[in-house]
Amino acid sequence: MSSPVTEPSDILPPETKPIETRPDRPATARVSSKLIENVGVQLEAFLGAAPMTVADLTGLAAGAVVTLDAQLNTPVELRLNGVAVARGELVAVGEKFGVRLTEIAQWPD
């Protein structure tokens, strides 16, 4: 059995060691988006909510209609890890749903 890793430098190749161990990089260096641009994420479309009691929930059966609190023309909210990143209109894309973007969140510098 191998010993536990205690320092990031024990597992990272020299070119990816933390910035504080790299004297050749200025302290103001930022993480490059190239490091994470291929990381998979799950984008969710939020249509609305349906507040209900546990009794209402357990009373649901196949064919039941759950009324959402959103109007038909309310923009769909796209969320990444629960954070709204865009809004748009629900559209048909062949046999599937899609969202035509109308707003995109501005990221801080």
Side-chain angles (χ1 to χ4, degrees):
M1 180 178 266
S2 63
S3 62
V5 175
T6 57
E7 296 293 323
S9 59
D10 293 341
I11 58 172
L12 297 173
E15 64 275 6
T16 59
K17 284 188 179 179
I19 292 173
E20 64 270 9
T21 64
R22 302 270 319 264
D24 58 318
R25 296 251 173 116
T28 58
R30 297 178 72 173
V31 174
S32 169
S33 63
K34 298 284 184 193
L35 292 172
I36 60 172
E37 67 185 12
N38 291 318
V39 173
V41 296
Q42 187 72 31
L43 192 62
E44 299 173 327
F46 182 75
L47 300 173
M52 64 177 60
T53 66
V54 173
D56 293 336
L57 181 65
T58 58
L60 293 176
V65 175
V66 176
T67 303
L68 302 177
D69 61 0
Q71 300 295 320
L72 287 176
N73 60 352
T74 300
V76 173
E77 191 170 79
L78 296 178
R79 295 179 179 180
L80 184 63
N81 286 342
V83 176
V85 296
R87 290 187 182 88
E89 304 166 340
L90 199 58
V91 295
V93 182
E95 294 294 315
K96 297 186 178 191
F97 289 107
V99 177
R100 178 180 296 120
L101 300 182
T102 58
E103 280 181 74
I104 298 175
Q106 296 298 310
W107 297 101
D109 289 336

